[in-house]
């Protein structure tokens, strides 16, 4: 199914009844990265089941609530837990929150995820800024009728991840004393981890990291005219690189280890983003 503008407004109305803050920046927090939500000031917590048309998040490490408040003096809306195709949600359900963010007035989204490292120069605990992506989910959230009020029929994806925001992220990381990796994120359906043969294929295609999210949200954000910055936490090396099995526990453990670096990076980006002409 696809959602109507009326349903988006219904969700927005329910949210705005609980807060007077009008968010400008949206944050989508991936597996184990929800700790950033604890940094929000004046927070209003809204469980997803209290928002019309929102599905529920069922994955460990995803809190399943929307938080509106202030972060580094910027009004933000935070998805503490996202939705995935592998949970059985439709691609419309997965991306519905992005449409609602647009209705709330969001013009910039920072999307995060935990990802497997495909680039063999990466190591668990690295933070990788997403330069581009490859969609191996074989689904696109824009399939079906197009509402021209929401975006053009054929949106340009040649600069899906905003170059100005990427440059800012590099500057912030440098100021904080570390190098931010940069690469191509490859999205697969999941929930099974990839085979070593699939990882070799992804590497030959040009992928540097692999995960099970992010791309549908980014496509809808760009369709809606929202600027995007993406950051992957390299939580493990992908299948076949190291002689050990993959597990979600490892993903969560790595996210816990890098949480301080991740929090400071995101806070720094949001703090400095106020100096950018984000609506230009």
């Amino acid at each position: 199914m696809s959602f109507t503008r009326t349903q988006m407004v219904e969700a927005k109305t329910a949210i705005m009844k609980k807060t007077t803050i009008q968010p400008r920046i949206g944050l989508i927090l991936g597996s184990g990265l929800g700790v950033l939500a604890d940094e929000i000031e004046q927070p209003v917590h809204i469980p997803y089941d209290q928002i019309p048309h929102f599905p529920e998040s069922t994955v460990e490490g995803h809190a399943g609530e929307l938080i509106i408040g202030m972060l580094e003096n910027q009004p933000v809306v935070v998805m503490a837990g996202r939705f995935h195709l592998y949970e059985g949600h439709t691609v419309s359900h997965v991306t519905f929150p992005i449409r609602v963010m647009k209705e709330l007035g969001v013009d910039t989204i920072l999307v995060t995820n935990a990802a497997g490292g495909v680039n063999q120069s990466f190591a668990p605990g690295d933070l990788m800024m997403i330069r581009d992506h490859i969609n191996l989910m074989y689904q696109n959230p824009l399939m079906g009728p197009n509402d021209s009020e929401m975006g053009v029929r054929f949106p340009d994806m040649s600069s899906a991840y905003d170059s100005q925001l990427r440059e800012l992220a590099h500057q912030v990381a440098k100021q904080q004393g570390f190098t931010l990796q940069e690469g191509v994120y490859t999205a697969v359906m999941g929930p099974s981890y990839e085979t070593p043969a699939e990882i070799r294929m992804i590497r030959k295609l040009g992928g540097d990291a692999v995960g099970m999210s992010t791309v549908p949200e980014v496509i809808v954000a760009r369709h809606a005219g929202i600027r995007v910055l993406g950051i992957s936490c390299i939580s493990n090396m992908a299948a076949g690189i190291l002689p050990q099995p993959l597990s979600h526990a490892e993903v969560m453990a790595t996210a816990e280890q890098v949480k301080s670096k991740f929090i400071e990076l995101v806070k720094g980006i949001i703090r400095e983003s106020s100096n950018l002409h984000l609506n230009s």
Side-chain angles (χ1 to χ4, degrees):
M1 64 168 291
S2 58
F3 288 94
T4 66
R5 188 71 176 272
T6 298
Q7 290 170 312
M8 297 169 196
V9 171
E10 287 172 353
K12 171 193 172 182
T13 301
I15 293 166
M16 294 311 296
K17 284 180 179 179
K18 299 180 181 293
T19 181
T20 58
I21 294 175
Q22 182 172 345
R24 183 182 69 85
I25 298 173
L27 298 169
I28 303 173
L29 304 181
S31 295
L33 303 176
V35 64
L36 182 65
D38 296 335
E39 301 291 316
I40 306 301
E41 299 177 349
Q42 306 171 43
V44 174
H45 297 257
I46 311 172
Y48 290 154
D49 61 10
Q50 294 182 13
I51 304 174
H53 314 298
F54 263 56
E56 292 186 40
S57 179
T58 65
V59 182
E60 180 185 354
H62 291 256
E65 63 179 7
L66 203 69
I67 305 169
I68 295 181
M70 303 295 293
L71 183 63
E72 297 296 314
N73 295 316
Q74 296 294 315
V76 299
V77 54
V78 180
M79 283 187 71
R82 59 149 55 89
F83 312 119
H84 304 81
L85 292 175
Y86 65 70
E87 294 176 85
H89 300 307
T90 67
V91 70
S92 294
H93 277 102
V94 167
T95 57
F96 180 68
I98 308 302
R99 297 293 188 191
V100 175
M101 286 186 182
K102 177 68 174 181
E103 293 289 332
L104 290 169
V106 166
D107 59 38
T108 303
I109 284 179
L110 198 164
V111 57
T112 72
N113 59 59
V118 175
N119 187 321
Q120 291 172 293
S121 69
F122 291 175
D126 281 351
L127 297 179
M128 184 195 86
M129 185 166 55
I130 303 175
R131 179 177 66 247
D132 203 347
H133 70 232
I134 299 171
N135 185 3
L136 295 184
M137 290 177 161
Y138 304 112
Q139 290 198 42
N140 190 302
L142 305 183
M143 292 185 299
N146 184 66
D147 185 342
S148 60
E149 291 186 4
M150 296 183 193
V152 298
R153 170 78 278 188
F154 303 106
D156 176 37
M157 296 295 290
S158 58
S159 299
Y161 300 87
D162 189 86
S163 59
Q164 192 178 21
L165 290 171
R166 284 163 43 206
E167 181 180 351
L168 175 63
H170 276 305
Q171 292 173 356
V172 171
K174 185 176 180 180
Q175 292 167 3
Q176 295 179 357
F178 72 95
T179 299
L180 185 62
Q181 302 281 15
E182 184 167 337
V184 176
Y185 176 84
T186 304
V188 296
M189 182 72 75
S192 57
Y193 288 113
E194 306 73 39
T195 67
E198 289 168 337
I199 294 303
R200 291 195 298 272
M201 175 192 74
I202 289 170
R203 186 179 297 117
K204 288 184 177 181
L205 290 175
D208 295 291
V210 61
M212 305 172 190
S213 66
T214 300
V215 166
E217 296 127 309
V218 171
I219 292 172
V220 165
R222 295 305 302 135
H223 183 250
I226 299 172
R227 298 174 77 165
V228 176
L229 178 68
I231 298 175
S232 295
C233 170
I234 304 302
S235 56
N236 57 277
M237 297 309 292
I241 296 177
L242 298 177
Q244 62 192 48
L246 305 181
S247 72
H248 191 63
E250 181 184 8
V251 171
M252 299 296 292
T254 303
E256 175 68 20
Q257 291 169 10
V258 302
K259 68 179 183 180
S260 295
K261 182 166 71 170
F262 169 75
I263 288 171
E264 291 307 311
L265 175 65
V266 173
K267 288 171 65 175
I269 292 169
I270 290 177
R271 182 170 58 250
E272 297 299 327
S273 72
S274 61
N275 298 321
L276 297 179
H277 299 293
L278 290 176
N279 289 311
S280 62

